[in-house]
Amino acid sequence: MVTLSGKVAVVTGGGRGLGLAYARSLAAAGAAVVVNDVDAEAAHTAAKEITDAGGRAVAAAAAVGSAEAAQALVDEAVSSFGRLDVMVTNAGVLRDRVLWKMSDDDFDTVVQVHLRGTFTCVRAAVNRLREQGEGGRIIVAGSPAGQRGNFGQTNYAAAKAGIAAMTRTWAMELAKAQITVNAVIPTAATAMTRTIPAFAPFVEALERDGTPLPDALRKGVGFGTPEDVAGLVVYLASDASRAVSGQCIGIGGDKLSLWSHPQEVSVAYADGGWSAEAIAAAWPVSVGQRPETYGIPAPEL
Ligand SMILES: NC(=O)c1ccc[n+]([C@@H]2O[C@H](COP(=O)([O-])OP(=O)(O)OC[C@H]3O[C@@H](n4cnc5c(N)ncnc54)[C@H](O)[C@@H]3O)[C@@H](O)[C@H]2O)c1
């Protein structure tokens, strides 16, 4: 039995979608939860639902991104529940545009919430966790777009790739303090994904009359409900995952996966180094022979 009894967690963007599923499941497993959202009503409704069900939760409305908002969430955990054990940085927004139409504001908004919000919240949490000296859990939100790149998502893919890079960096820096850091790479039906044309009719049927998502989605694509993702967050928040750190873990529908990390897949050497001409001659027959693929393939349904 994985239990979080006695632990205190913060979930950013916990008012709806995946964050709400995380907050509910963490509370159901015994954790006290600070439910953050920029939408104050959503945060309060979520916290009330958890306390009405017998769990422990408080709402903390704030726009994640700034150092002040991050500190306020950690302070809320400490003032309401006495400590902090788990920081889940889940808050997110999309501003999808192809590169040539993407404004500075589209770029900055997404980077502010995802990349800076993850940095500031984790830094504030880690300062508290190091002070407590009893280890802790950092769970951040990656995305297939950050692992592979995705059409129309310059800002989002960059932020999510940065989050994966921070995960690997922090896993190194925080190992001694017994603080684990892992990225969840989810795929689930939420406001963020229900407009994807290939998924839309299935999500609509699920919402209309509970028609289960077909195996082609649950197993093939690994696309399910937010609740399908929450078990991984509870596991990563628990003592059972103490040996797991620095990983990007995919989950969705019936599928659980481990993402590879970038590494050199092919090397070549030239005595004295490589001129442009030497690279041009060697490329097709050496390191360029099997170029890496990129992008998220369109789902086949
Ligand atoms: N749904 C998926 O399939 C999927 C796939 C890959 C990654 N993700 C990631 O998972 C996370 C949750 O996504 P979701 O699908 O549940 O999205 P969602 O849009 O359903 O929920 C996001 C929540 O974050 C809140 N939020 C937005 N900006 C905020 C801010 N500055 N401060 C605090 N709260 C803020 C929103 O109000 C909302 O409640 C995101 O980081 C997203 O990038 C989701």
Side-chain angles (χ1 to χ4, degrees), residues 258-276:
L258 184 67
W259 281 87
S260 67
H261 286 165
Q263 60 181 344
E264 293 163 336
V265 292
S266 175
V267 297
Y269 297 93
D271 289 340
W274 288 93
S275 66

Side-chain angles (χ1 to χ4, degrees), residues 68-145:
E68 293 72 25
Q71 192 57 48
L73 297 183
V74 173
D75 291 348
E76 184 67 55
V78 175
S79 64
S80 292
F81 302 118
R83 58 183 289 117
L84 178 71
D85 300 281
V86 183
M87 171 61 77
V88 184
T89 58
N90 160 84
V93 289
L94 290 180
R95 295 284 185 279
D96 290 1
R97 305 258 187 287
V98 283
L99 171 62
W100 54 95
K101 292 185 181 165
M102 185 168 285
S103 68
D104 288 13
D105 187 57
D106 293 331
F107 187 84
D108 291 345
T109 298
V110 168
V111 168
Q112 169 76 5
V113 180
H114 289 274
L115 191 66
R116 180 171 279 277
T118 299
F119 160 63
T120 53
C121 286
V122 173
R123 182 179 57 182
V126 161
N127 282 332
R128 174 70 199 181
L129 293 174
R130 281 169 50 85
E131 233 171 77
Q132 288 175 184
E134 296 168 33
R137 297 285 182 269
I138 305 296
I139 303 166
V140 302
S143 165

Side-chain angles (χ1 to χ4, degrees), residues 12-20 22 36-39 42 62-65 89-94 112-114 141-145 156 160 184-193 223 226:
T12 71
R16 65 173 73 82
L18 285 163
L20 176 58
Y22 300 163
N36 156 262
D37 208 284
V38 67
D39 179 338
V64 156
T89 58
N90 160 84
V93 289
L94 290 180
Q112 169 76 5
V113 180
H114 289 274
S143 165
Y156 183 72
K160 291 305 196 185
V184 172
I185 315 285
T187 314
T190 66
M192 223 178 240
T193 50
F223 180 85

